[in-house]
Amino acid sequence: MRRRPADFRRTVKRRFSKAFWLTLSGLVILLFIVFFSQVKQPGSRSTLAMRSSRHYSITEGLNVTEEMLSPDSITRQLAEQISLAKALVVIAKESDNLQFAWELSAQIRQSQILLLDAAARRIPLTARESETAIRDMALLLYQAQQLHYDSATMIMRLKAKIQSLEEQANSENEKSLKYGQIAAEEVPKSLYCLGNRLTVQWFKNPNFQRKLTVGRRIAQKLKDNNLYHFCVFSDNILATSVVVNSTAMNSNHPDMVVFHLVTDEVNHAPMKAWFSMNSFRGVTVEVQKFEDFSWLNASYVPVLKQLQDSDTQNYYFSGNTDDGRTPIKYRNPKYLSMLNHLRFYIPEVFPALEKVVFLDDDVVVQKDLSELFSVDLNGNVNGAVETCMEKFHRYHKYLNCSHPLIRAHFDPDACGWAFGMNVFDLVQWRKKNVTGIYHYWQERNVDRTLWKLGTLPPGLLTFYGLTEPLDPKWHVLGLGYNNVDLQLIEKGAVLHFNGNSKPWLKIGIDKYKPLWDKYVDYSHPMLEQCNFL
């Protein structure tokens, strides 16, 4: 039997039905939906958790209930009315409407009682039980609106009130400055008494006059540039005595200290009497009066020339030129006193000296100052402590920097310095004609447009570029008007009672007075007779 030949035909592929493909597609879509829902579920849970956490952080610490967070919360409505009413009570009182303020306060108490009762029974307020309270409070709030008790009106009233208080404060401050200035300018009865008694003693006792007769040895010391020369220009006998005594007490070599004192004719005799009857550890003391200086005349000194001007006299002595608008401190005649301006004529006053330490009469010396005479001023004329390290004492504080002359020659931010303890190189002073510079600026300030008062502004102009900064320990300022760091006081060589509160006045600052009192012998017969305390 013959074998059947092989069949080389291709096998036919089975075809799937459309129903099969639709079913398969549905399953795939269903799987995708399930998968993405599983992926998104943790994120949604995290979002919900964050929202819940944020909600908790806002409400934490606040007395907030779920009922108060409801849009229709009666409790929240009452609480908001109470808050607004409390603010309006303050406004009503400020407006002197005490009756309305009382009505608001009474309604606030009634609303608060409702809230307290609801909180005690832990059942939210209903519209029925709170209807009267909400309506009555709403009527009062509407009434406040009609009275213009709104925030804008209140802001305007508060601004007006603040302005009124500021004006009152400025007025009181001006009065305080005025009376403080008057108190500072008055001569205490005790100082007046001391001057009179010393004058009598000077003319009654010829021994005092013989004691101060300048012998050959003393005359040599007054011109010996190997010694330590100090100068003080003052009409205050006791204050000058403290300067001399404190310097002598703290000097390592008092026998090398020479004090050159210059006063006026009225105080010349009593000052000579005082320094002849008291010893200061061997310190040499010379007393002069500026009326004896032949070069001190109106043709040479601008200040004396200004004193002869009627407008200047009216400005400083009467204040009638501007209807009293100029503050009293700008019209203090002491700023035209020659004792105040002699500091610009030191080379003429002491023609034989080469270096001098200038001291104001309101300082106390508590360290040896001999080291100052060996300080290198690097060719400058004035050695001084700068005052702009921690404060704002720069040139623009003292000078009219809008004036063309000032603006053209000076830096308004240049650092200021202090008069009161200054080292002056008189050789350089004469070489650079510093007194001539001072005259130049004084003559251009006749109309007081460059600066208003004092000797510091012309000093800043005169010694501009000629001042060598000294270590701040040499001169500590502010004991006459300010709180000074105790560490600075302890380290300071010279303590300056600049300001109105001088230590010899009753308005002196009590905590600083002992620093000055320790150099006054209150058991001295003259001081006891004049009731110094």
Side-chain angles (χ1 to χ4, degrees):
M1 184 176 173
R2 294 179 65 180
R3 179 179 295 182
R4 188 179 177 179
D7 189 359
F8 293 100
R9 289 179 302 176
R10 294 180 180 178
T11 58
V12 180
K13 294 182 180 179
R14 293 182 180 180
R15 297 180 182 273
F16 294 102
S17 65
K18 291 182 179 180
F20 173 79
W21 287 110
L22 289 172
T23 304
L24 182 60
S25 299
L27 288 172
V28 171
I29 292 170
L30 183 62
L31 286 172
F32 271 103
I33 292 172
V34 171
F35 174 75
F36 281 110
S37 66
Q38 291 293 330
V39 171
K40 290 182 178 180
Q41 188 173 0
S44 62
R45 288 177 181 174
S46 175
T47 303
L48 288 173
M50 289 175 62
R51 289 178 180 174
S52 177
S53 174
R54 183 183 176 190
H55 175 78
Y56 177 75
S57 65
I58 293 174
T59 58
E60 185 182 12
L62 300 175
N63 189 18
V64 177
T65 64
E66 290 298 326
E67 190 271 338
M68 292 180 69
L69 299 177
S70 170
D72 302 320
S73 172
I74 301 297
T75 304
R76 188 182 70 250
Q77 186 176 353
L78 264 180
E80 289 173 352
Q81 282 186 331
I82 289 172
S83 297
L84 180 57
K86 286 181 177 179
L88 293 173
V89 168
V90 177
I91 298 175
K93 288 181 178 179
E94 287 287 335
S95 303
D96 291 329
N97 195 343
L98 301 182
Q99 176 63 29
F100 186 63
W102 179 86
E103 292 175 5
L104 279 171
S105 300
Q107 191 58 46
I108 288 171
R109 285 193 295 272
Q110 291 183 16
S111 298
Q112 287 175 335
I113 290 171
L114 282 176
L115 291 175
L116 288 173
D117 290 343
R121 67 174 187 255
R122 297 184 180 181
I123 298 175
L125 283 171
T126 63
R128 179 180 297 178
E129 61 185 336
S130 58
E131 179 181 2
T132 303
I134 291 175
R135 186 185 66 250
D136 292 346
M137 183 68 85
L139 286 172
L140 288 172
L141 296 179
Y142 181 76
Q143 185 179 350
Q145 186 179 2
Q146 297 302 310
L147 292 170
H148 301 291
Y149 288 173
D150 55 278
S151 58
T153 304
M154 188 56 189
I155 289 171
M156 292 178 63
R157 288 180 179 175
L158 287 175
K159 284 183 177 179
K161 186 77 171 178
I162 290 170
Q163 184 177 357
S164 174
L165 291 174
E166 286 179 348
E167 290 175 356
Q168 291 180 23
N170 291 335
S171 175
E172 294 302 321
N173 187 43
E174 187 175 345
K175 289 179 181 178
S176 176
L177 290 173
K178 179 178 180 180
Y179 297 143
Q181 188 73 45
I182 292 172
E185 292 175 16
E186 291 298 320
V187 178
K189 290 181 179 179
S190 53
L191 283 178
Y192 185 76
C193 167
L194 179 63
N196 286 339
R197 288 183 177 275
L198 286 171
T199 302
V200 172
Q201 288 296 320
W202 174 258
F203 289 106
K204 278 180 60 177
N205 195 336
N207 291 329
F208 289 158
Q209 300 182 26
R210 284 196 297 268
K211 211 171 183 181
L212 275 188
T213 301
V214 179
R216 181 179 299 176
R217 179 173 171 274
I218 295 178
Q220 289 177 349
K221 292 186 74 173
L222 296 177
K223 300 178 181 180
D224 188 351
N225 283 294
N226 293 316
L227 302 179
Y228 308 132
H229 293 270
F230 298 86
C231 64
V232 181
F233 307 137
S234 174
D235 57 0
N236 189 321
I237 299 167
L238 191 61
T240 305
S241 176
V242 169
V243 177
V244 175
N245 192 31
S246 62
T247 305
M249 294 295 291
N250 293 288
S251 175
N252 295 333
H253 303 284
D255 58 312
M256 296 182 66
V257 173
V258 180
F259 263 94
H260 303 267
L261 310 180
V262 181
T263 186
D264 55 20
E265 192 165 18
V266 174
N267 292 281
H268 186 229
M271 192 168 285
K272 287 194 296 183
W274 178 261
F275 285 98
S276 63
M277 70 169 58
N278 293 286
S279 175
F280 298 92
R281 296 188 65 205
V283 168
T284 301
V285 179
E286 176 194 27
V287 181
Q288 301 181 77
K289 58 180 177 179
F290 70 80
E291 287 86 353
D292 289 339
F293 302 147
S294 59
W295 50 266
L296 201 60
N297 52 68
S299 62
Y300 178 63
V301 179
V303 170
L304 290 176
K305 189 186 302 181
Q306 292 170 14
L307 272 174
Q308 298 174 357
D309 180 67
S310 59
D311 290 339
T312 302
Q313 291 176 359
N314 287 333
Y315 180 82
Y316 281 101
F317 293 97
S318 66
N320 294 330
T321 56
D322 61 354
D323 298 325
R325 291 190 303 272
T326 303
I328 187 172
K329 67 177 182 178
Y330 292 135
R331 294 188 284 105
N332 191 339
K334 80 171 185 178
Y335 295 118
L336 290 178
S337 167
M338 276 315 305
L339 288 175
N340 207 32
H341 285 264
L342 273 181
R343 64 192 69 192
F344 295 105
Y345 299 95
I346 292 177
E348 286 91 337
V349 178
F350 312 113
L353 299 183
E354 297 176 355
K355 182 172 281 190
V356 165
V357 171
F358 166 79
L359 295 174
D360 265 337
D361 64 359
D362 55 353
V363 306
V364 166
V365 178
Q366 59 177 14
K367 306 284 183 184
D368 179 67
L369 300 183
S370 58
E371 189 179 333
L372 285 172
F373 291 86
S374 59
V375 170
D376 185 4
L377 297 182
N378 296 311
N380 288 309
V381 177
N382 173 31
V385 170
E386 293 182 331
T387 56
C388 61
M389 289 82 71
E390 299 177 0
K391 298 185 179 179
F392 55 94
H393 294 166
R394 298 184 181 271
Y395 269 49
H396 62 77
K397 173 178 169 57
Y398 305 98
L399 304 170
N400 178 17
C401 291
S402 63
H403 195 285
L405 264 178
I406 301 296
R407 191 169 61 246
H409 293 87
F410 302 98
D411 177 9
D413 290 323
C415 193
W417 45 268
F419 265 135
M421 197 294 298
N422 304 79
V423 183
F424 290 121
D425 185 334
L426 303 185
V427 175
Q428 290 294 325
W429 185 313
R430 298 181 183 101
K431 182 178 178 181
K432 297 178 180 178
N433 189 24
V434 173
T435 302
I437 298 173
Y438 164 71
H439 285 170
Y440 173 86
W441 290 112
Q442 275 288 0
E443 288 168 354
R444 275 148 189 79
N445 193 48
V446 175
D447 55 358
R448 296 173 296 278
T449 56
L450 303 185
W451 70 88
K452 288 291 185 183
L453 80 166
T455 51
L456 181 56
L460 294 176
L461 300 179
T462 301
F463 294 102
Y464 185 73
L466 301 174
T467 299
E468 181 71 16
L470 300 179
D471 191 314
K473 71 177 182 181
W474 286 113
H475 190 186
V476 177
L477 296 107
L479 278 76
Y481 67 90
N482 202 359
N483 285 323
V484 184
D485 188 347
L486 291 178
Q487 291 185 347
L488 290 177
I489 292 176
E490 290 176 3
K491 295 178 181 178
V494 176
L495 306 180
H496 198 166
F497 290 82
N498 57 314
N500 285 337
S501 301
K502 304 299 185 188
W504 57 83
L505 299 174
K506 290 184 178 180
I507 61 173
I509 301 174
D510 290 338
K511 65 179 178 179
Y512 298 140
K513 276 189 174 184
L515 297 169
W516 191 83
D517 285 340
K518 66 190 292 187
Y519 297 106
V520 179
D521 180 12
Y522 287 106
S523 63
H524 192 285
M526 282 283 184
L527 301 188
E528 286 185 340
Q529 291 170 14
C530 291
N531 298 318
F532 278 91
L533 298 176

